[in-house]
Amino acid sequence: MKKPNRKLCPAAAGSTYTDKVIQHFQTPHNYGKMENPDGIGKVGNIICGDVMWLYIKVGKNSSKKEIVSDIKFETFGCVAAIATSSAITDMAKGKTLEAAQKIDKAGLVKELGGLPPIKLHCSVLAADALAEAIYDYYQKQKRAIPKELETKHIRISAEKKIIEEKYKDWVDIEEKIQSKRAG
Amino acid sequence: MVKKTIKKTKPVVRRVYLDYAAATPVDPKVAKKITGDLPGIFANSMSFHSFGQAARAVLEESRQILAQMIGAQSREIFFTASATESNNLALKGVASANKHKGNHIIISGIEHACVMESAKWLESRGFVVTRLKVDNFGLVDPLDVANAINPSTILVSVMHANNEIGTIEPIEEIGRICHEKNVLFHSDAAQTFGKIPVSVQKLNVDLLTASSQKIYGPKGAAFLYVREGVKIDPIIHGGGQESGLRSGTSNVPAIYGFAQAALEARRLMASESKRLKTMRDRLQAGIMKTIEGSHLNGHPQKRLPNILSVWFEFVEGESMIIQLDLRGIAASTGSACSSAKLTPSHVLMATGVRPQEAHGSLRLSLGRYTKESDIDYVLKALPAIIQRLREISPFKKSEETKS
Ligand code: FES
């Protein structure tokens, strides 16, 4: 693996992040809310208390397979959390739903040229958010949910409950906005 | 390859250091003195030859300077390598030497980690520790100290000023209560010594910690003041330096630098604290005015003149710190994400700040080399950073909720 060149960011030279992480962090791709998404993944990080919301739109590719046609994220978290959010939107965009589900922590970390060990849990958050968004889509479409996705969902829901309790007032405000928009 | 990446490099236009509460740069005059005099003071101050005696003379002169500054006697000053060591010595040393009297120790809930952890360690050895609550400003109520003291209490330790929020504790009064009840009182003055007046008589303390690296001296030097007659055991054993309380060859060059830095700090104390307070207050007012959803941590008045701690809604601190760093500004945060244990600052928690609020905390600490233009620079950079992070955050007060 190429060694990260820290010369790129002299100011953050002392930070433990690779240039790739800092680039995604400084100019994140695909952030913000999405109007009428086909699936939403809302996850929380029970370790430090960060929150990530991921929205997807589902389309079809030339061979009529369902793909992630558009994707956006909103993250309240550290540099690693924001960078992995941005990176996962890049990686998932255009992929078939099947392939997108397979994006995991290891792939994300590789894409970013590595993460400090203490920040590995932040990349789990991004992978979970995407899985949840796809789960949400399947559920809304009343489709059979792949076993793997179901097991993941059970774990994530348990963690999310803890987090949403913590951020109750903030989450409520956002939920109000969203229902207003939908209504 | 290398050429290509260098081309992309965006040079940092400006560097603004606002983390003086974490560490101060060594005053160039002090650094020059240390390096200039180093050849003459390298020897072991315990050696009887003239080389050793030269080092010893500087050591004792430094002790005298520092003792005078806090209104103590030279023999009451014991050099250590850090404030952490001084605080460990104060708690463990006093506990060990006074355990026949009792096993109860009282600390505040917002002490530095070295006090918190020393107390925890003592707890594991059979001591009982009371952690005092603080109010929303981070103040300890002296009445709580009085109520917490029982017949088995041997030591109370409350810091002079808190390193994260700058709140200055009512040490004088707590000390008076301790003395009335015949309990030893220690205060960690690492953040105050050299910045605001510190007198052991006025503060009614029996033990006091001070550090060189917070007052533009070198790292590796600190002291513990121990009032004459106070029983305390060493925690480092060996050749019997520092009257047997702290063995290990004395770090004479660093101690010399500590004393010289203290002299300079005393000379500048009045003018600096006024200058820093003016700048800090301007920074605070500017932030509060330009950034919606910003809140002050710590006591608005009873606070060190150089510390500003705030928290911003809906943003995370580490992200803030790195954004600032990318613009050349050095600051710190109490966010869980930035801590090695991934837990939010215990100080902010103790003042009633919730974990998600501590997430967005930012500490800016000013110092001797801070200029008015640095404040302008931060006031220009910060609002944009917060706005940007809020755009990325799922939580934001959007126009729709304001109505
Ligand atoms: S999300 Fe908190 S440490 Fe990264």
Side-chain angles (χ1 to χ4, degrees):
Chain A
M1 198 170 59
K2 212 185 99 205
K3 256 205 169 165
N5 182 356
R6 301 199 186 278
K7 280 204 188 93
L8 248 178
C9 304
S15 89
T16 38
Y17 293 117
T18 64
D19 296 340
K20 195 79 186 274
V21 172
I22 294 292
Q23 277 167 13
H24 270 289
F25 169 66
Q26 252 191 311
T27 43
H29 309 155
N30 310 306
Y31 69 87
K33 277 195 207 313
M34 184 189 278
E35 302 286 333
N36 310 313
D38 293 326
I40 308 180
K42 292 185 177 182
V43 296
N45 187 333
I46 45 164
I47 299 174
C48 57
D50 293 338
V51 176
M52 189 180 293
W53 292 359
L54 207 121
Y55 311 83
I56 55 167
K57 266 203 185 3
V58 178
K60 289 218 168 98
N61 64 8
S62 49
S63 44
K64 297 273 181 275
K65 279 210 157 157
E66 279 185 317
I67 57 161
V68 177
S69 59
D70 196 10
I71 181 163
K72 279 192 155 188
F73 80 90
E74 288 180 302
T75 295
F76 167 62
C78 75
V79 173
I82 291 173
T84 46
S85 307
S86 168
I88 205 167
T89 59
D90 282 355
M91 288 168 81
K93 209 172 201 170
K95 275 210 171 78
T96 61
L97 291 189
E98 267 163 34
Q101 281 167 53
K102 296 211 174 80
I103 299 173
D104 63 355
K105 172 180 116 179
L108 272 167
V109 173
K110 203 174 150 208
E111 171 71 22
L112 291 167
L115 277 178
I118 196 169
K119 296 292 183 178
L120 288 174
H121 70 271
C122 320
S123 58
V124 180
L125 194 62
D128 282 356
L130 180 58
E132 281 292 276
I134 298 172
Y135 178 97
D136 183 50
Y137 169 72
Y138 283 152
Q139 206 181 37
K140 278 181 182 152
Q141 300 294 313
K142 307 213 164 50
R143 297 247 288 275
I145 288 161
K147 180 126 194 298
E148 230 177 285
L149 216 51
E150 185 67 59
T151 357
K152 250 194 204 168
H153 175 73
I154 293 168
R155 169 181 59 81
I156 297 166
S157 312
E159 294 176 357
K160 199 172 92 179
K161 238 185 138 179
I162 303 173
I163 285 295
E164 295 210 329
E165 199 50 47
K166 219 167 164 178
Y167 294 91
K168 204 170 174 315
D169 27 352
W170 291 1
V171 171
D172 285 352
I173 292 176
E174 283 310 307
E175 229 111 74
K176 239 188 256 157
I177 297 171
Q178 304 225 327
S179 61
K180 243 188 183 177
R181 277 207 182 125
Chain B
M1 189 68 225
V2 172
K3 246 187 180 169
K4 252 189 202 163
T5 48
I6 282 174
K7 255 191 194 164
K8 278 192 249 164
T9 305
K10 263 200 215 143
V12 173
V13 225
R14 218 191 148 113
R15 310 218 67 189
V16 175
Y17 184 79
L18 289 177
D19 206 12
Y20 284 85
T24 54
V26 178
D27 183 315
K29 277 183 280 181
V30 172
K32 217 171 145 197
K33 275 195 171 152
I34 299 171
T35 42
D37 293 342
L38 199 54
I41 55 171
F42 76 91
N44 190 322
S45 60
M46 295 288 270
S47 302
F48 281 106
H49 45 63
S50 56
F51 294 86
Q53 291 312 302
R56 187 181 189 94
V58 169
L59 179 66
E60 293 315 317
E61 190 190 292
S62 303
R63 199 187 305 278
Q64 206 179 358
I65 290 171
L66 292 161
Q68 263 175 12
M69 254 187 89
I70 58 166
Q73 304 173 57
S74 292
R75 58 176 179 277
E76 295 173 314
I77 300 292
F78 300 88
F79 288 116
T80 67
S82 63
T84 290
E85 191 194 326
S86 293
N87 286 338
N88 269 263
L89 176 57
L91 267 80
K92 296 173 186 170
V94 166
S96 164
N98 295 277
K99 58 176 181 280
H100 61 282
K101 284 193 191 152
N103 68 344
H104 182 223
I105 292 164
I106 300 167
I107 63 172
S108 87
I110 59 165
E111 294 300 307
H112 187 273
C114 57
V115 169
M116 303 298 283
E117 292 300 313
S118 293
K120 207 161 123 194
W121 184 83
L122 285 167
E123 233 168 7
S124 75
R125 307 276 144 155
F127 287 88
V128 177
V129 177
T130 299
R131 293 165 183 85
L132 297 171
K133 286 205 173 68
V134 294
D135 67 11
N136 292 341
F137 301 125
L139 281 174
V140 170
D141 185 343
L143 267 181
D144 287 348
V145 179
N147 291 333
I149 292 175
N150 66 41
S152 61
T153 308
I154 50 175
L155 177 70
V156 173
S157 180
V158 176
M159 68 203 323
H160 193 184
N162 182 269
N163 50 310
E164 287 184 36
I165 54 178
T167 300
I168 300 172
E169 300 296 340
I171 296 302
E172 247 179 271
E173 210 180 332
I174 297 171
R176 199 176 44 72
I177 290 166
C178 290
H179 289 166
E180 266 168 23
K181 307 215 172 200
N182 238 329
V183 173
L184 293 174
F185 181 42
H186 165 251
S187 185
D188 172 5
Q191 289 293 340
T192 52
F193 175 74
K195 299 197 189 92
I196 58 173
V198 172
S199 149
V200 293
Q201 309 308 340
K202 196 160 169 269
L203 292 177
N204 299 319
V205 293
D206 301 299
L207 302 107
L208 181 124
T209 295
S211 167
S212 162
Q213 66 125 348
K214 304 285 190 209
I215 59 161
Y216 312 91
K219 290 177 182 54
F223 70 73
L224 179 67
Y225 155 80
V226 182
R227 189 182 292 274
E228 200 160 26
V230 167
K231 293 214 165 25
I232 181 165
D233 286 340
I235 56 171
I236 296 178
H237 304 89
Q241 287 86 349
E242 298 299 302
S243 312
L245 187 56
R246 202 280 190 174
S247 288
T249 302
S250 304
N251 187 353
V252 178
I255 291 166
Y256 173 56
F258 183 12
Q260 295 304 311
L263 286 175
E264 186 68 0
R266 181 170 63 185
R267 193 176 70 80
L268 296 172
M269 192 183 290
S271 60
E272 268 300 276
S273 65
K274 211 174 129 202
R275 189 182 74 93
L276 293 176
K277 186 177 180 301
T278 308
M279 282 196 289
R280 193 270 318 269
D281 289 347
R282 185 161 78 86
L283 181 61
Q284 180 179 325
I287 288 173
M288 297 293 167
K289 204 180 127 201
T290 54
I291 304 174
E292 216 190 308
S294 49
H295 309 262
L296 181 70
N297 294 316
H299 199 285
Q301 283 90 37
K302 293 173 190 162
R303 186 166 42 136
L304 282 173
N306 68 317
I307 289 184
L308 174 61
S309 173
V310 287
W311 69 269
F312 302 103
E313 292 166 10
F314 318 126
V315 295
E316 190 282 320
E318 191 210 72
S319 292
M320 227 187 317
I321 294 305
I322 300 295
Q323 283 290 0
L324 285 165
D325 192 34
L326 289 164
R327 287 161 181 78
I329 302 166
S332 73
T333 172
S335 163
C337 296
S338 75
S339 86
K341 291 179 194 151
L342 294 172
T343 50
S345 146
H346 72 281
V347 174
L348 295 175
M349 296 288 100
T351 63
V353 170
R354 297 180 303 167
Q356 65 269 37
E357 298 168 349
H359 240 58
S361 67
L362 178 71
R363 180 189 69 183
L364 298 159
S365 47
L366 290 60
R368 196 174 288 167
Y369 309 107
T370 308
K371 300 188 291 282
E372 290 284 356
S373 58
D374 294 336
I375 304 301
D376 296 330
Y377 183 63
V378 174
L379 282 175
K380 217 177 134 202
L382 194 56
I385 291 173
I386 303 293
Q387 196 198 337
R388 170 76 156 169
L389 290 173
R390 281 181 181 164
E391 274 166 25
I392 299 170
S393 169
F395 310 119
K396 46 198 153 233
K397 261 183 215 150
S398 44
E399 293 302 315
E400 293 157 72
T401 53
K402 276 188 199 153
S403 52

